[in-house]
Amino acid sequence: MFSKTCEYAIRALIFIAQKTKDGDRIGIKEIAKGIDSPEHFIAKILQDLSKKGILQSAKGPTGGFYLDKASRKQSLASIVRAVDGDKIFQGCGLGLKQCSETKPCPIHHEFKKVRKDLLQILENAKVGALTDALENSMVFLKR
Amino acid sequence: MFSKTCEYAIRALIFIAQKTKDGDRIGIKEIAKGIDSPEHFIAKILQDLSKKGILQSAKGPTGGFYLDKASRKQSLASIVRAVDGDKIFQGCGLGLKQCSETKPCPIHHEFKKVRKDLLQILENAKVGALTDALENSMVFLKR
DNA sequence: GAAAATTATGTTTTCAAAGACTTGTGAATA
DNA sequence: TATTCACAAGTCTTTGAAAACATAATTTTC
Ligand code: FES
Ligand code: FES
C-alpha cells in the first residue's frame, strides 16, 4: 500500500509526537529503536521531512527531533503526500496513465470509493492526537 | 497499490477474456498492444500465470492465450493473490510485522475496513463479466 | 518449416539499507 | 571571553536486492 519509507515515516512521526510532548527532543537512535527501523534509513527520511517542514530538528548537544504546535495538528495524509506523493490518492488502480471519469478503467467507480475512504482516514488522523492511545498501550508502533 | 506486474496481469486477463469469447486464441503481441504494456514483460507474466492455471495457453501455429469456462469465473482477487500475494489483504498498513487485533497499529481499525472493501470489490469483479462494458467502450484498458 | 509459446539469461532502474564524512551547536574550560 | 570539545543532525557515497524491462535461443505443434 505505502512504501517502506512512508511506513517508517508515519510510525516515526507518531513516536516523536509522543516522546516530545513537553518540549523535549529525541535522538535518532532512540527513534529507530522505538519503531524498529534501520537507523540510517530513518535518519535520512526524517532529515528530508524536516527540510520540508513536516517536523523540526535541532543540532548539537540537547539537540534532536521534535514537533512544534503546528506539526502536531498535521494529518497522516500530509506525511504520505510528502513521502509517496499523491499517486495513491489519485492514480488509477489498474495503472492507466491517468485516472479519468470519462475514460475509466473497469474498476474505476468502485476503486474511487476505496481511495476516498483511505484519504478520509488519513486526513482525520492527526499526528498529535494518537499519543494517548499509545501511552495506554492500546496501539503499538512495533511488535 | 498493486505492483506494476499485477496491474498488467489484470488488464491482460480482462483483455484476453474479451478477445477469446468464442474459443479463439490471442497472441502475445496483440495483447501487449491492446493493454499498452512491454511485450516481453507481459509475456513472462502470462507464462507464470498459465503455469498456475490462472489462464490457458497453446503453442504452435494457431496457438495463443485464452480462458476456459472456469478461468472466466475467476475474480480479480485471485489474480492479485497469484501475483502479489495477500499482503495487501492481510498486511498491516503501517508495516508492522503482522497485523493483529490484540496489538494493533494506530490506524488498524480504520484500515481494516479499507482492506475489506478492496477485497470485496476484487472478489466481486469476475474476469469474464467485464467484457461487455469493454465492448461498449464504457471502460478502457489503455489511454 | 514456420508460427507460436517457453526457457534462459542479461540489462537497467528503483527501492531499501548501510557507511563514512561534514556541519552546526551548546557547554565546559582555560 | 575566546577556545575547545563532544554531541547530534546533515550530507554524500556505496552496497544489496528486487522489480521492471530486453535479447536470444529453444521447444512444441500445426
Ligand atoms: S481509471 Fe482506473 S481508477 Fe480511475
Ligand atoms: S496492525 Fe496495522 S493494520 Fe492491523
Side-chain angles (χ1 to χ4, degrees):
Chain A
M1 184 79 72
F2 308 124
S3 69
K4 218 74 187 142
T5 303
C6 191
E7 290 174 357
Y8 287 143
I10 296 175
R11 305 223 303 270
L13 268 281
I14 298 175
F15 184 74
I16 296 170
Q18 187 215 336
K19 292 292 186 184
T20 65
K21 269 185 184 169
D22 316 307
D24 299 334
R25 292 161 183 179
I26 183 171
I28 199 69
K29 283 191 288 286
E30 200 176 338
I31 296 171
K33 271 184 202 165
I35 66 169
D36 191 24
S37 76
E39 189 180 320
H40 291 96
F41 193 26
I42 190 64
K44 198 181 162 193
I45 297 168
L46 292 182
Q47 276 142 25
D48 287 350
L49 289 179
S50 85
K51 244 189 284 186
K52 292 181 183 169
I54 306 285
L55 81 162
Q56 286 68 48
S57 67
K59 284 184 171 183
T62 77
F65 293 91
Y66 62 100
L67 292 169
D68 62 22
K69 268 268 170 83
S71 297
R72 261 164 213 288
K73 288 183 185 155
Q74 227 173 182
S75 70
L76 299 192
S78 55
I79 301 173
V80 172
R81 277 206 195 82
V83 178
D84 282 351
D86 58 1
K87 195 185 136 199
I88 189 124
F89 302 130
Q90 310 223 323
C92 168
L94 294 190
L96 298 192
K97 291 200 182 78
Q98 204 185 334
C99 171
S100 147
E101 207 70 34
T102 55
K103 288 190 79 175
C105 74
I107 60 168
H108 169 81
H109 298 296
E110 298 87 343
F111 192 75
K112 211 172 54 170
K113 183 178 164 303
V114 171
R115 278 188 326 203
K116 193 182 142 208
D117 286 351
L118 182 64
L119 178 59
Q120 206 151 44
I121 288 174
L122 294 175
E123 291 283 13
N124 287 342
K126 309 296 182 190
V127 183
L130 295 166
T131 57
D132 287 343
L134 245 191
E135 271 161 18
N136 299 334
S137 290
M138 302 189 54
V139 303
F140 302 82
L141 294 174
K142 66 174 183 179
R143 43 176 294 123
Chain B
M1 183 81 69
F2 308 124
S3 70
K4 219 79 185 135
T5 303
C6 191
E7 291 174 356
Y8 288 143
I10 295 175
R11 305 222 301 269
L13 267 282
I14 297 175
F15 183 75
I16 297 170
Q18 186 216 337
K19 292 291 185 185
T20 66
K21 267 185 184 169
D22 317 307
D24 300 335
R25 290 159 186 182
I26 183 170
I28 199 69
K29 280 191 289 283
E30 200 175 336
I31 296 171
K33 270 184 201 165
I35 67 169
D36 192 25
S37 74
E39 187 181 320
H40 296 95
F41 193 26
I42 190 64
K44 199 178 168 188
I45 296 169
L46 292 181
Q47 278 141 26
D48 287 350
L49 289 180
S50 87
K51 243 187 285 184
K52 291 181 183 170
I54 306 285
L55 81 164
Q56 285 68 49
S57 66
K59 284 182 169 183
T62 78
F65 294 91
Y66 63 100
L67 291 170
D68 63 21
K69 270 269 168 82
S71 296
R72 261 164 214 288
K73 289 183 187 154
Q74 231 173 178
S75 70
L76 300 192
S78 55
I79 301 173
V80 173
R81 278 206 194 82
V83 178
D84 281 351
D86 58 0
K87 195 187 138 198
I88 189 123
F89 301 130
Q90 310 224 324
C92 168
L94 293 190
L96 299 193
K97 293 201 181 79
Q98 204 185 334
C99 171
S100 148
E101 207 69 35
T102 54
K103 289 189 79 173
C105 74
I107 60 167
H108 170 81
H109 297 296
E110 298 87 344
F111 191 76
K112 213 171 53 170
K113 182 177 164 303
V114 171
R115 278 188 328 201
K116 193 182 142 206
D117 286 351
L118 182 65
L119 179 59
Q120 205 151 44
I121 289 175
L122 294 174
E123 292 282 13
N124 285 345
K126 310 296 182 189
V127 184
L130 296 167
T131 58
D132 287 345
L134 245 190
E135 271 160 19
N136 299 336
S137 290
M138 303 188 52
V139 302
F140 303 81
L141 294 174
K142 66 173 181 179
R143 45 176 293 124

